[in-house]
Each structure stands twice: as structure tokens, then as C-alpha cells.
Amino acid sequence: MVSDALEMPQLRIYSNKMLYQRQRKSRDRTVENRQFQRSKRVFEEKTNKKKRNYMNKIGLALQGGGSHGAFAWGVLDRLLELEEKELGFDSICGTSAGAVNAVVMTYGLHIGGRMKAKELLERLWLTVASKGLKIDNPFIEYFTQVVSPYQFNPLNYNPLRKIVSDIVDFDELRKTKTKLFICATNVKTNQGKIFRTSAITLDSVMASTALPTFFQAVKIGEDFYWDGGYMGNPPLTPLIANSKITDLLLVKLNSINIDRVPMSAKDIGDRVTEICFNSSLMNEMKMIEMRNELIRGGLDLGKYGNKEIFVHSISGYDTLGKLDYSTKMKTDLGFLLKLKNAGRDAADRWIKEELKNVGKKSSFDVDKHFFNKF
């Protein structure tokens, strides 16, 4: 009995000790679980924030088209009225007039935000109207087919050089965080040259705009360049390969499909040029669509990504498709403002109807426009 009496307190002590240890372990597990859940929430919030930051950030692709670039001016003017959280620009590429628009817009964003970009784009096109070349005369167009710019323009005068240099400080531009790409065509190697932000100069912009019938090839280093439209109008691959974007917005100036067969010598020549300038874009669009189909089929492309690229487009076809090709050299103020207003209207429609699809799905039918699946 005495032995039993001695053991009972010891059993209670042992039992209490075990209970305390179990309770402590339970509290520790609860604390650990809370810490884990807290860490998980923080991680998810950071991840979701990054996703949200990229959900509305796009790659912007600007086609070239001479004076028809004023349509893109109108598009950009309207898009820049949106807030960053509504539509952000992660990267921008452009060719020819698209390169000029891209450089001026990116510089404006860098030094003063969206309103500054709008201001500088307006300054660019108003100056083009007052000081740009007036070469929309049919005789001049014929003249350039038989006389080389090395003959009729031996000093390689191009008023666009001063217009752009008066607006853009290229040393400052190269500090921008926006990824910028412009395209030119290497005359000797038949290769497209992509000038990236850190290498973009006034000469590379002039190279991208050097239409060979009007201007001499632009020398950069040991290479010579013509208008980038022959090799990428505009190039899309740099936008996909160098950023985390899931959406591309193409501001399209040139007609892909037309509803008539050209029969005059002039119309045939214009359509041939249009086809040449569209060929690289069509090939890149087809590659993007094939990539998307593989990903939808469950294939992980590894370093090439495992997310679809959603494609969007603001097209100038309804306005520009009705114009003669020679109007790409027309710089009258009234004409440029008409194109700008048409661009603003087209962008406004896209904002109302398609902006909601950014980050979710394509709003441009690549099959219809590039695979001819009507």
C-alpha cells in the first residue's frame, strides 16, 4: 500500500509531464503551421503581384509605312492616355516610321512619363509636316526608279535626321528601362539587324528609315544598312525572347489581304513592295501561332517558354487601305492630322472592345489574317 501510495504521485508527475510535452509539441506545430501559412501567403502575394504587374504589360510592335506612320501616332496618342495599371509597355519594337515613333515615345516615357511622350510625338509629326520632304509627286516617284540617290542626292540629305536629333537625346534614351528594338537591313549580307536599347543611336534610326530609292545606305561600323522593312516590319521575336510578356499588340499599317487584283504597272509595283514588306511579319506570326498550338497541346518548350503569346492588333486598313501607295510620302499637315485622328478612333475602339482581353486571350485572329483561313 505504501508502495502504491508512493507510485501514484510519480505517475501523476509523469502523466503531467507527458501531457505538457504533447501540448508543447502541439503548440510548436501550430506556430510552425502559422509561420508556414504566413510565409506561403507572402510568397503568393509577391507572385501574384508580379503576375498582376505583367498581366497588363505588353510588347508593342510598330510597323513602318512612311507618312502613314501618322496613323500610329494617333494610336499611341490614345493609348498613352491610359494609366500604367491599365496598359503598360514592357518592350517596344519598330521599323522605319515605326522605329521613329518607338524611339520618340520611349524617350518621352523615360524623361517625363506618358504626357511627355504624347507631347514629343506631336512635336515630331508637326515638324515633319513643316520641314519634312515633299516627295509625293508621281514624277519624283518615277524619277527615283531610274536615277540613284547617289546621283540625285550625293550629300545624302535627309531632314528627318535633324528632326529626330532635335527631339531625342540618345545618350539619355539608352538609360531607359523600357526594352527597345529597331530593325534595319544589312545591304551586303541580306540579314536583319536588331539594334537594342544600349546600341540605338541616331544613325541606327536613320538606317531603319533609309528607303533605298531615296536615300543612300547608312554606314554603321563596317556595315551598310537600308530600311528595316525588308527583314522585319516589325520584328516580333525580340519582344518574345527578351521579356516575360504574354501579349503582343501590333499597330498594323500595311495591308495583308486586298480585295482586288492590281492591273496597272504602278499598282502592281506597289503591291509587290507591300508583299515584300509583309513577308517577314507573316512568317513570324505563323511561328507564334505554331508555338501557341504546341503549348495548348501540352508541350513544354523549356527555355522558349510554356505560356501562350496572346496577339492583338490595331489596324489602319479601313483608312490606309483606301489610299494610294504614293501617299506614304505625303507630309501635308491636314493629311497627317486626318491619319492621326483615324488612329485615335481605331485605338479607342480597341480599348472599349478588346483591352479587357489582355492577359487572357488573343483578340486578333491570326488564322484568318495570316493563314488565310476565312
Side-chain angles (χ1 to χ4, degrees):
M1 296 294 292
V2 174
S3 176
D4 291 342
L6 290 173
E7 287 179 359
M8 288 299 292
Q10 290 176 348
L11 286 172
R12 282 196 296 271
I13 292 170
Y14 177 76
S15 177
N16 290 339
K17 184 177 181 181
M18 292 295 293
L19 178 63
Y20 171 75
Q21 288 177 345
R22 283 198 299 270
Q23 290 175 340
R24 182 175 180 180
K25 286 180 180 179
S26 177
R27 285 196 300 270
D28 289 345
R29 283 196 296 270
T30 302
V31 171
E32 288 175 359
N33 185 54
R34 287 174 180 170
Q35 289 174 340
F36 171 77
Q37 292 298 330
R38 190 180 299 114
S39 298
K40 183 180 177 182
R41 284 196 301 272
V42 170
F43 175 77
E44 288 176 345
E45 286 173 3
K46 288 182 178 179
T47 302
N48 290 334
K49 184 177 180 181
K50 288 181 179 179
K51 286 181 179 178
R52 287 194 299 271
N53 287 341
Y54 270 98
M55 278 287 284
N56 71 332
K57 283 199 171 186
I58 63 168
L60 180 64
L62 304 176
Q63 269 200 325
S67 298
H68 291 186
F71 176 90
W73 165 31
V75 170
L76 299 176
D77 191 68
R78 179 65 183 92
L79 294 181
L80 286 166
E81 292 173 0
L82 298 172
E83 295 182 12
E84 178 76 16
K85 64 182 180 181
E86 295 177 283
L87 189 70
F89 305 106
D90 175 83
S91 46
I92 306 173
C93 72
T95 295
S96 199
V100 177
N101 277 331
V103 164
V104 171
M105 172 181 165
T106 303
Y107 178 66
L109 288 171
H110 174 64
I111 64 171
R114 297 189 170 217
M115 292 303 102
K116 189 64 177 180
K118 280 168 60 73
E119 175 192 325
L120 293 185
L121 283 167
E122 178 170 323
R123 179 180 165 190
L124 165 70
W125 285 98
L126 293 182
T127 310
V128 166
S130 62
K131 298 181 180 179
L133 288 177
K134 311 293 182 182
I135 50 179
D136 59 320
N137 188 299
F139 172 75
I140 296 177
E141 189 176 355
Y142 170 76
F143 179 75
T144 60
Q145 301 302 313
V146 294
V147 182
S148 160
Y150 292 87
Q151 296 171 306
F152 71 77
N153 188 11
L155 299 179
N156 202 27
Y157 171 69
N158 185 346
L160 188 60
R161 172 176 283 274
K162 179 168 174 51
I163 292 172
V164 174
S165 65
D166 284 349
I167 295 173
V168 178
D169 178 344
F170 283 87
D171 289 333
E172 188 62 35
L173 172 69
R174 288 189 288 273
K175 299 175 185 176
T176 181
K177 293 181 180 179
T178 303
K179 303 177 188 72
L180 181 62
F181 310 94
I182 62 176
C183 181
T185 301
N186 190 307
V187 178
K188 292 183 177 181
T189 66
N190 193 41
Q191 298 291 315
K193 170 68 175 179
I194 303 297
F195 294 96
R196 301 166 188 269
T197 311
S198 60
I200 291 176
T201 64
L202 180 59
D203 279 341
S204 54
V205 177
M206 292 301 100
S208 185
T209 63
L211 201 61
T213 52
F214 288 96
F215 304 107
Q216 297 176 24
V218 176
K219 185 178 181 182
I220 300 176
E222 298 301 315
D223 295 306
F224 292 83
Y225 297 97
W226 280 338
D227 193 297
Y230 296 106
M231 299 307 298
N233 191 25
L236 304 180
T237 302
L239 297 177
I240 300 171
N242 295 278
S243 69
K244 299 178 181 178
I245 59 156
T246 56
D247 293 76
L248 284 176
L249 174 58
L250 170 66
V251 180
K252 191 160 71 74
L253 306 183
N254 294 329
S255 299
I256 300 294
N257 302 293
I258 59 175
D259 56 7
R260 64 192 184 283
V261 176
M263 295 185 178
S264 71
K266 182 179 182 305
D267 288 346
I268 291 170
D270 290 348
R271 184 55 179 166
V272 168
T273 301
E274 210 165 42
I275 289 172
C276 289
F277 272 52
N278 282 331
S279 60
S280 58
L281 174 64
M282 293 187 71
N283 287 333
E284 287 197 272
M285 278 292 192
K286 289 177 181 178
M287 289 300 295
I288 290 172
E289 185 61 14
M290 289 175 65
R291 175 187 181 278
N292 284 347
E293 287 182 1
L294 290 173
I295 291 172
R296 285 194 291 266
L299 183 65
D300 188 338
L301 300 180
K303 68 177 182 178
Y304 299 105
N306 57 5
K307 294 183 179 179
E308 284 190 58
I309 297 296
F310 302 127
V311 180
H312 313 274
S313 176
I314 300 177
S315 174
Y317 179 75
D318 290 343
T319 299
L320 305 178
K322 301 171 185 176
L323 301 177
D324 189 272
Y325 193 85
S326 64
T327 59
K328 290 189 175 186
M329 300 297 176
K330 188 174 182 179
T331 57
D332 297 344
L333 179 59
F335 176 72
L336 297 181
L337 290 176
K338 179 180 177 181
L339 296 189
K340 178 200 175 185
N341 291 334
R344 279 189 59 88
D345 290 343
D348 196 56
R349 286 193 298 273
W350 182 83
I351 290 168
K352 291 175 181 177
E353 298 170 8
E354 308 294 354
L355 177 60
K356 62 181 180 291
N357 293 319
V358 171
K360 300 176 183 177
K361 65 178 183 178
S362 293
S363 60
F364 178 70
D365 192 337
V366 175
D367 276 348
K368 176 179 177 181
H369 293 277
F370 290 93
F371 287 98
N372 207 29
K373 295 180 182 178
F374 289 94

